[in-house]
Amino acid sequence: MTRFVTALDRCVWWALAVINGVMSLAIFVQVACRFLFGTAVVWAEEFAVLLFAWLIFVGAAYAQKTDSHLSIDTVRMMVGRKTGVAMDVFRLLVIAACSVVAIWEGIGLAIRVLPLLYPAMEITRAWLYAGVPVGFGLGLIYMAYDVYCRLKGKPRTEEF
Amino acid sequence: MVWVLFGVFTLLLALNIPVAYAMLVVSIGYLVWNWNIPFIVVAQQLGAGTDQFLLLSIPFFYLAGEFMAHGGITARLVNLARALVGHFRGGLGHVTVVSSMLFSGISGSAVADMAALGKIEIGMMRAAGYPLGFAAAIKSAAATLGPIIPPSIPLLVYGSMTDTSVGKLFLAGFVPGLLMTIFLMVAVTVVATRRNFPLSPWVGWGPALKTVIESIPVLMLPVIILGGIFGGLFTPTEAAIVSAAYALVVGMIIGDLKLKNIPAILVKVAVESAQIMIILAAAALFSWILAREQIPAQLASIALSHHTEPWLFLLAVNLLFLFLGAFMETIPIMVIAIPVLLPIVKALGIDLVHFGVMISLNLMIGLIHPPIGMLMFIVMSMTKISMQEFVRETWPFLFALIAALIVVTYWPWIVLVVPNYFYG
């Protein structure tokens, strides 16, 4: 289990670096081409926005792993241990329930929009919506591993 | 329905549910209740919330700030500020404020300002014998300048939510940013005089000129961003990527930025951007439900039926945001409150650019006051001072920022003078 999550971590970490790098490069190339050659890279904007969606969903999964989603922990810090654990369980259940709905509906929508194409890239818009189930799915895996570590009393994997 | 939606949402937030998931669960609950709406709208709105070219500038502006900070060249800004104002009474307090103002032209985030300059400046003040509490307080207050002077992440988010020109919003941040700088410097002078902080001699013309020349590569960044946008060369997103590319080159040539640091920076920026953007994606669904229930329009008509005066409305919004800022982060407050308030703002004839700058300034104040001010926690962990000490030292600066907020709220001219000059 730990080995799987460590390998997954490494993949997600590099995926985020590559997505961000390529997304930045795409827009930079678009600007450079306009100024240097007077031409427009018509697909660059669409491609960068598509990668941005993936960056958000995969990045949000990574934020799930590092427990760094923005939340208000004022009450959580004030309550006793038992109430705190109950709040943590409730939080996990809410995230899991939302993730399952997002995964299911994301897959459904991606299949439904398969025939729709991006005008410039001429690839299916399903790529955009596929980011939803992938991101929320990764988040669920990280969450399951977190629960596993807590139950076994193991330390969570360090950030890669 | 409106009270149920907001009541459950507030309860979930209090129960430590992440903001994005609290919005999702309330929205999903609404869809279960209104069973005739297909659930596919969840994925559709999540996708639509991310499908925005303008918001690509968020990771790009973060990248520019990170490249500059990792390159270690932000220290040049501190040297420049020291040459300019280091000889005033409480000189290093002024240096902190002025370097934050200069860094604001590079980064649109208060946290980035704190991360890039906090250690250098607090260390410098400690070495010069300033009380640690004062150093922590002035650094966190000065970091709030980051998102007011352009570029600005909160103003970008506001612009995308309200369809307001980002160019106008960026220009509108200038004078309020300068006003905050002046007010903070006045507060530093008052505190320094009362506590008899040490005076440093002026560095002299030669060294001052040298620091100005050394800072030119860093100071070119805001020129590229703003000159590019207002000169019609780039869109805000393109200006953001050009500034990131420039920061990368400068960081590698004259700073300590190495090729091997870049993947880690890209991942850090990706996760920071995702933390904000996943809320905006979930907010797209939440706003869709609010619009379907016509909640913003209902609230607008309630406000108008009570003959609400604009000044009273602005006062109420400021008090509400100062209260919310005590418990929530900047972006979540914006994404929750703006769709609800926008129809009222329009109906009362309040300028959207003025309103955007006002609430951004207001929300920055929330970053430095208890119980959950993000900058307060960062500086407390950096300096190991207690919350009591931080609060005791912060109040003069908090007062200065609130004074700036009052001026910005009731003298819209201050906000609009620059955008009106350029855009007519």
Side-chain angles (χ1 to χ4, degrees):
Chain A
M1 182 83 167
T2 306
R3 215 182 280 174
F4 167 73
V5 174
T6 309
L8 182 73
D9 237 14
R10 198 174 284 246
C11 292
V12 171
W13 196 94
W14 277 106
L16 284 172
V18 170
I19 291 171
N20 201 359
V22 175
M23 180 180 88
S24 309
L25 204 63
I27 297 297
F28 184 72
V29 166
Q30 186 195 35
V31 178
C33 281
R34 193 170 72 231
F35 282 98
L36 298 178
F37 310 113
T39 60
V41 184
V42 286
W43 51 265
E45 207 166 291
E46 279 181 1
F47 184 52
V49 173
L50 172 62
L51 287 177
F52 188 41
W54 277 78
L55 177 134
I56 294 162
F57 293 121
V58 178
Y62 205 77
Q64 175 71 39
K65 182 222 159 188
T66 52
D67 205 10
S68 53
H69 275 298
L70 296 179
S71 61
I72 301 166
D73 58 359
T74 319
V75 177
R76 174 68 183 82
M77 306 290 271
M78 282 162 30
V79 297
R81 195 183 157 273
K82 276 188 180 172
T83 316
V85 171
M87 281 174 74
D88 289 348
V89 171
F90 180 65
R91 175 184 160 108
L92 290 175
L93 288 174
V94 165
I95 294 175
C98 288
S99 301
V100 169
V101 173
I103 292 167
W104 183 256
E105 295 302 331
I107 293 171
L109 186 61
I111 293 170
R112 203 185 275 197
V113 300
L114 266 173
L116 296 180
L117 300 181
Y118 277 101
M121 289 193 291
E122 295 184 356
I123 60 166
T124 170
R125 279 187 70 84
W127 282 107
L128 171 69
Y129 296 107
V132 177
V134 172
F136 280 92
L138 281 171
L140 264 188
I141 293 172
Y142 278 133
M143 203 177 79
Y145 183 68
D146 183 32
V147 173
Y148 166 80
C149 287
R150 285 187 198 209
L151 292 176
K152 293 272 180 185
K154 280 185 170 185
R156 294 159 77 183
T157 46
E158 290 302 311
E159 219 168 306
F160 170 66
Chain B
M1 180 55 79
V2 56
W3 300 116
V4 176
L5 282 177
F6 279 100
V8 175
F9 178 65
T10 310
L11 182 69
L12 290 170
L13 289 183
L15 290 172
N16 196 25
I17 306 297
V19 181
Y21 287 95
M23 282 180 173
L24 274 180
V25 82
V26 169
S27 306
I28 291 168
Y30 173 87
L31 295 177
V32 171
W33 185 260
N34 294 275
W35 52 270
N36 55 336
I37 306 171
F39 261 59
I40 210 151
V41 75
V42 175
Q44 187 193 31
Q45 290 299 322
L46 279 173
T50 64
D51 200 4
Q52 297 186 58
F53 182 64
L54 173 66
L55 294 177
L56 268 169
S57 43
I58 292 178
F60 297 160
F61 279 130
Y62 272 137
L63 268 182
E66 287 292 332
F67 286 150
M68 281 286 182
H70 272 78
I73 43 184
T74 41
R76 291 172 187 232
L77 292 180
V78 181
N79 293 338
L80 175 64
R82 200 168 188 166
L84 295 175
V85 294
H87 54 291
F88 294 177
R89 172 75 64 186
L92 292 182
H94 295 295
V95 169
T96 303
V97 176
V98 173
S99 355
S100 284
M101 185 191 74
L102 296 172
F103 189 73
S104 303
I106 295 169
S107 155
S109 149
V111 175
D113 179 313
M114 180 63 89
L117 299 172
K119 272 191 184 153
I120 307 173
E121 290 170 346
I122 292 173
M124 215 163 63
M125 281 188 268
R126 280 301 286 155
Y130 284 69
L132 187 56
F134 170 84
I138 186 58
K139 178 61 237 170
S140 44
T144 61
L145 284 164
I148 304 300
I149 294 178
S152 158
I153 305 294
L155 287 178
L156 261 169
V157 171
Y158 176 85
S160 84
M161 291 184 75
T162 59
D163 283 330
T164 310
S165 155
V166 171
K168 273 189 182 176
L169 285 166
F170 276 9
L171 281 176
F174 263 121
V175 182
L178 288 176
L179 196 72
M180 288 165 77
T181 306
I182 293 166
F183 281 21
L184 284 174
M185 287 178 76
V186 169
V188 168
T189 306
V190 171
V191 174
T193 309
R194 285 181 64 176
R195 293 164 74 172
N196 203 22
F197 283 173
L199 260 177
S200 305
W202 190 51
V203 292
W205 284 106
L209 198 66
K210 189 169 168 265
T211 57
V212 170
I213 293 167
E214 279 176 355
S215 309
I216 286 173
V218 190
L219 296 175
M220 280 303 291
L221 201 69
V223 176
I224 291 173
I225 297 170
L226 299 173
I229 296 174
F230 307 125
L233 299 173
F234 312 128
T235 64
T237 308
E238 290 173 347
I241 193 60
V242 172
S243 70
Y246 175 79
L248 175 69
V249 172
V250 169
M252 290 184 85
I253 293 175
I254 64 168
D256 306 323
L257 185 63
K258 302 275 183 291
L259 214 54
K260 65 177 183 186
N261 304 135
I262 292 172
I265 293 173
L266 288 169
V267 173
K268 183 172 186 270
V269 165
V271 176
E272 282 172 356
S273 308
Q275 284 170 342
I276 293 176
M277 283 304 304
I278 196 70
I279 295 175
L280 290 177
L285 176 61
F286 195 63
S287 300
W288 182 84
I289 288 170
L290 293 184
R292 190 178 183 276
E293 285 291 318
Q294 297 187 324
I295 290 169
Q298 284 172 26
L299 289 175
S301 76
I302 292 170
L304 292 177
S305 67
H306 286 79
H307 304 289
T308 310
E309 293 290 332
W311 72 268
L312 200 61
F313 171 74
L314 291 177
L315 176 69
V317 168
N318 271 322
L319 292 175
L320 174 72
F321 276 40
L322 283 173
F323 173 75
L324 291 176
F327 301 97
M328 287 172 73
E329 309 283 359
T330 307
I331 303 297
I333 297 176
M334 287 182 110
V335 296
I336 296 161
I338 288 172
V340 177
L341 295 175
L342 196 62
I344 310 177
V345 174
K346 285 179 178 168
L348 291 175
I350 297 165
D351 189 281
L352 284 180
V353 173
H354 171 227
F355 189 71
V357 173
M358 183 198 84
I359 58 172
S360 298
L361 201 167
N362 182 310
L363 292 172
M364 289 308 104
I365 296 173
L367 293 177
I368 61 165
H369 70 70
I372 69 141
M374 194 197 277
L375 290 175
M376 179 185 76
F377 281 119
I378 295 175
V379 85
M380 276 166 54
S381 96
M382 207 181 257
T383 56
K384 312 289 176 223
I385 61 166
S386 67
M387 192 185 284
Q388 284 86 344
E389 189 179 358
F390 179 83
V391 173
R392 199 173 51 239
E393 295 278 1
T394 304
W395 74 262
F397 309 118
L398 207 54
F399 182 76
L401 292 176
I402 289 175
L405 176 63
I406 293 170
V407 174
V408 163
T409 303
Y410 292 112
W411 282 273
W413 175 86
I414 290 209
V415 179
L416 300 173
V417 61
V418 183
N420 283 350
Y421 178 78
F422 281 93
Y423 284 87

